[in-house]
Amino acid sequence: MSKLTPVLSAHWDQKDSFTIDAYKRNGGYAAAVKALAMDPDALIQLVKDSGLRGRGGAGFPTGMKWGFIPQGDNKEHYLVVNADESEPGTCKDMPLLMANPHVLVEGVIIAAYAIRAKHAFIYIRGEVTHVVRRLNKAIADAYKAGYLGKNVFGTGHDIDLVLHIGAGAYICGEETALLDSLEGFRGQPRLRPPFPAIAGLYARPTVVNNVESIAAVPAIVANGAEWYQSMGTEKSKGATLYSLSGHVNNPGQFEAPLGITLREILELAGGIRNGHQLKFWTPGGSSTPLFTAEHLDVPLDYEGVAAAGSMLGTKALQIFDETTCVVRAVLRWTEFYKHESCGKCTPCREGTWWLVQILRDLEEGKGSEADLAKLLDLCDNIMGRSFCALGDGATSPITSSIKYFRDEYIAHVTGAGCPFDAAKSTLFAEAK
Amino acid sequence: MTTTNSVLNMEIMQSIIARYPRKRSAIMPLLHYVQSVSGFVTNEGIELIATLLEIETAEVSAVSTFYTQYKRSATGEYHIGVCTNTLCAIMGGDVILASLKEHLGIENDGVTADGKVSLEHIECNAACDYAPVVMANWEFYDNQTVESAKALVDGARAGNPPAPTRGPNRLVTFKEASAVLAGLDDGLAEEGIQAGIPTLLGLKLAKEGK
């Protein structure tokens, strides 16, 4: 039997999979009808019972998040879907929305009804023109079919869904920065508490969920909490999308129960590119501490990855072979964090700037061994002292790479710069 | 108001504002809309948005300068972004960017003299299983090589760019793409493939029982 469990990806191989006709042909929107006939509290309980946890990186239980919304408060409630997928290595939500935008629309209808929200928003990153087209068309078609708008499915409930398109700021993936951005301000994170469940969009109770979390809901409603519970591990239930990229023979999306290992996924993907060996990898994007070949058998669930010293994150498995200079890789990620730092807090704004200076010197052979201590000291002053998780994430590649590859940093100091030939890491080198 | 605003369609701008419970939320799609008319965020556009949303022009400027996709000078008709975040850079993005700079004779953020092509190094665009990735007017050009990227910019300069690998049957212009990002329908949603080979790999293996 296959180790893979396509649920979200089950119909992606149908050429018209993104259309409302195809989605309905495959059973789509039946879960919404079922959900709208249920009590909203029972729906929240169902999602709690399923064990579904946030797929945007943090892994917070989705049903619990919904349950935090105060009921009977006579205030507007909002549902906001985070489709700002920008964490380096993360590439699951965009192909999902390109191939099947309706599963998200159906998830939105169910979730909005459950938390008693009449207004929902999808905040999608702006650098994906065709994904925006597909999603906007799906929303328009759902309105035409009477699944959105006034009196959805003839049930008397009103649910409006607005697609909000970003403009290129990684920080807007942080949920409170996303809310500021959606309100029409610069996307900078807010002080918490109050949490969005109490004072979110327009200071009203708001649920912010990742695309994959909301897209998982229709199947849970259709098949039940027990079915979802039957996949995964003790505390990490269900199936999820693992995105494999980098120096492998066959990169791609693998939907599997939580707890699968990189060794198993690599076997399915035909292994590391021929003639090369695994050097380091990220389990869930660049903000999750690096792993090496010694972590091939770590169960890729929330607990397993944390116990091994990293985070499951977005399950973005970026694979680098032995041709890759870890200092170059880490420098480039650090440049990214510096560019994307919103500037609100000093540790992140100034810290990422200094990290780049030091790493650049090291990569160019102008550093010293003392720079390693300085890097770690700076990371110590950023981690846990920044306003939001962007600063924490910026330290992950640095501290983990120094932990596993200290000698390689030293080699940049004692030799005359970078000992690697960058050309050998390219795919073009492989083709020749 | 200067003549630029004569082509900013008030009806469209009002319809964008009407999407939201509070009108200030419309600032981002309105900025995309201004780019769809002018090719970048003009002072006139900022003034009009401020007037419509009843906020200060400084507040609109503050937002427009925060987000990388809003440009304060004209981009090319075809805006090319080469991903040089770690994974794409290592797998060939750095080489592609360097060769395009040389081929076009422009630097990062530069525009060719004919106004056809602008070049920018970009961050991760959520297509890592298709690395190295190049975006043109924010459409996907997957699995790029130096040769394919040069063919893309050469085609763009000749007014005949190749179609995106995952996108519509033709590459729209920067202004046309900006209209899509303002939330306007260009009727092209159903063109192009639903998924590329990497997207479908896990599903294919599962069906084969692997």
Side-chain angles (χ1 to χ4, degrees):
Chain A
M1 211 178 83
S2 176
K3 285 173 180 150
L4 299 169
T5 49
V7 178
L8 287 170
S9 57
H11 306 294
W12 289 356
D13 55 354
Q14 299 174 13
K15 297 229 173 293
D16 61 346
S17 64
F18 50 83
T19 64
I20 193 165
D21 289 345
Y23 188 62
K24 287 169 72 178
R25 184 175 73 222
N26 297 318
Y29 288 110
V33 172
K34 186 177 173 184
L36 289 163
M38 290 170 67
D39 179 63
D41 289 332
L43 261 180
I44 294 176
Q45 191 59 46
L46 174 74
V47 175
K48 279 183 183 168
D49 291 344
S50 75
L52 175 64
R53 293 169 66 174
R55 301 288 190 240
F60 192 83
T62 305
M64 199 186 291
K65 212 178 209 184
W66 293 8
F68 287 155
I69 298 296
Q71 296 303 334
D73 56 353
N74 292 319
K75 281 183 183 170
E76 286 267 295
H77 298 170
Y78 295 107
L79 172 70
V80 178
V81 178
N82 186 345
D84 194 49
E85 180 166 70
S86 308
E87 168 76 11
T90 308
C91 51
K92 62 188 181 71
D93 298 336
M94 294 307 114
L96 186 161
L97 293 173
M98 193 179 277
N100 187 4
H102 282 282
V103 73
L104 181 64
V105 174
E106 185 175 19
V108 164
I109 294 165
I110 298 169
Y113 170 72
I115 65 162
R116 285 102 162 163
K118 287 182 166 44
H119 259 107
F121 297 85
I122 299 170
Y123 188 117
I124 190 168
R125 66 179 303 179
E127 304 99 321
V128 287
T129 314
H130 205 49
V131 185
V132 168
R133 284 192 193 94
R134 289 263 163 96
L135 194 48
N136 233 347
K137 170 93 168 102
I139 293 169
D141 286 348
Y143 266 100
K144 270 186 225 153
Y147 304 163
L148 286 170
K150 299 280 177 214
N151 190 24
V152 299
F153 293 93
T155 59
H157 297 285
D158 303 338
I159 299 171
D160 276 306
L161 174 57
V162 176
L163 182 63
H164 185 84
I165 299 142
Y170 167 69
I171 186 62
C172 293
E174 198 282 336
E175 65 175 11
T176 61
L178 185 154
L179 294 174
D180 260 30
S181 179
L182 183 48
E183 288 185 8
F185 297 90
R186 295 161 74 95
Q188 294 189 313
R190 299 174 179 175
L191 189 65
R192 287 172 292 188
F195 289 92
I198 303 302
L201 185 65
Y202 310 130
R204 296 290 184 269
T206 302
V207 163
V208 185
N209 279 144
N210 172 255
V211 167
E212 195 190 344
S213 312
I214 292 292
V217 170
I220 291 171
V221 170
N223 303 312
E226 243 173 73
W227 163 78
Y228 204 68
Q229 286 260 2
S230 72
M231 296 182 284
T233 55
E234 194 191 340
K235 290 179 180 167
S236 299
K237 299 297 185 188
T240 193
L241 289 163
Y242 292 92
S243 310
L244 186 73
S245 61
H247 290 134
V248 294
N249 278 323
N250 301 302
Q253 304 297 322
F254 299 83
E255 194 173 4
L258 282 152
I260 197 170
T261 65
L262 180 63
R263 189 186 301 280
E264 291 172 307
I265 293 174
L266 277 177
E267 269 169 28
L268 290 165
I272 303 292
R273 65 176 177 159
N274 297 337
H276 296 278
Q277 302 89 44
L278 173 62
K279 181 174 177 182
F280 61 92
W281 55 291
T282 67
S286 59
S287 300
T288 62
L290 297 176
F291 274 167
T292 65
E294 68 180 89
H295 302 100
L296 273 167
D297 296 309
V298 169
L300 296 175
D301 61 9
Y302 298 102
E303 294 71 32
V305 178
S310 188
M311 290 177 288
L312 184 64
T314 55
K315 306 143 292 143
L317 311 166
Q318 303 176 89
I319 310 295
F320 299 92
D321 70 18
E322 85 291 345
T323 63
T324 311
C325 171
V326 77
V327 181
R328 176 182 174 215
V330 171
L331 165 62
R332 195 57 61 90
W333 278 319
T334 309
E335 286 172 335
F336 164 76
Y337 289 109
K338 170 184 170 273
H339 178 253
E340 299 298 338
S341 175
C342 79
K344 180 162 181 160
C345 76
T346 310
C348 176
R349 184 188 61 241
E350 304 297 320
T352 52
W353 194 89
W354 281 107
L355 291 173
V356 166
Q357 304 306 309
I358 296 167
L359 280 165
R360 211 172 267 167
D361 278 355
L362 278 166
E363 170 67 352
E364 289 169 6
K366 294 187 280 187
S368 70
E369 206 169 329
D371 285 338
L372 294 189
K374 203 181 290 172
L375 280 176
L376 291 173
D377 184 47
L378 275 165
C379 287
D380 198 39
N381 279 296
I382 297 170
M383 180 80 185
R385 290 176 169 84
S386 301
F387 204 84
C388 78
L390 190 150
D392 296 346
T395 70
S396 288
I398 296 173
T399 50
S400 59
S401 63
I402 293 176
K403 178 177 165 191
Y404 297 118
F405 301 102
R406 194 180 183 93
D407 290 350
E408 194 168 312
Y409 278 91
I410 301 294
H412 280 74
V413 175
T414 52
C418 182
F420 289 86
D421 175 3
K424 286 186 178 159
S425 298
T426 65
L427 287 193
F428 325 137
E430 199 58 15
K432 284 167 195 166
Chain B
M1 301 283 167
T2 66
T3 49
T4 320
N5 275 346
S6 60
V7 284
L8 286 171
N9 183 317
M10 292 295 286
E11 220 168 283
I12 292 173
M13 294 179 88
Q14 292 292 359
S15 77
I16 290 171
I17 294 169
R19 290 177 197 158
Y20 295 93
R22 300 194 187 180
K23 61 183 179 181
R24 181 163 178 150
S25 285
I27 192 166
M28 292 178 71
L30 288 173
L31 285 164
H32 280 304
Y33 174 68
V34 168
Q35 297 208 125
S36 80
V37 172
S38 308
F40 63 102
V41 177
T42 57
N43 289 339
E44 293 80 3
I46 286 177
E47 282 164 23
L48 183 56
I49 291 172
T51 304
L52 289 170
L53 300 183
E54 298 177 272
I55 54 179
E56 298 299 323
T57 52
E59 293 179 272
V60 182
S61 292
V63 170
S64 73
T65 52
F66 185 82
Y67 299 93
T68 316
Q69 277 182 282
Y70 299 131
K71 307 299 180 192
R72 290 311 308 271
S73 58
T75 62
E77 192 175 339
Y78 299 97
H79 184 63
I80 309 293
V82 181
C83 179
T84 57
N85 199 294
T86 299
L87 190 123
C88 274
I90 284 171
M91 295 184 68
D94 277 356
V95 180
I96 292 172
L97 179 65
S99 62
L100 285 188
K101 280 183 190 170
E102 195 192 338
H103 187 65
L104 295 168
I106 56 177
E107 284 304 305
N108 188 52
D109 289 332
V111 189
T112 54
D114 58 8
K116 287 285 184 188
V117 172
S118 48
L119 186 63
E120 177 186 13
H121 81 83
I122 61 169
E123 300 298 353
C124 186
N125 222 95
C128 316
D129 45 349
Y130 295 89
V133 172
V134 170
M135 305 300 290
N137 298 336
W138 308 114
E139 307 275 14
F140 290 109
Y141 286 78
D142 301 320
N143 301 117
Q144 290 299 287
T145 61
V146 169
E147 293 73 28
S148 65
K150 281 184 184 169
L152 168 60
V153 298
D154 288 347
R157 296 188 81 176
N160 183 30
T165 51
R166 282 180 298 147
N169 300 335
R170 68 174 178 94
L171 175 60
V172 300
T173 65
F174 180 80
K175 288 182 184 177
E176 288 169 333
S178 297
V180 175
L181 301 184
L184 305 176
D185 181 14
D186 67 357
L188 303 180
E190 300 202 338
E191 289 191 4
I193 57 174
Q194 86 286 12
I197 290 166
T199 302
L200 298 176
L201 181 58
L203 177 60
K204 178 172 168 278
L205 293 169
K207 285 191 167 178
E208 291 167 1
K210 286 176 187 159

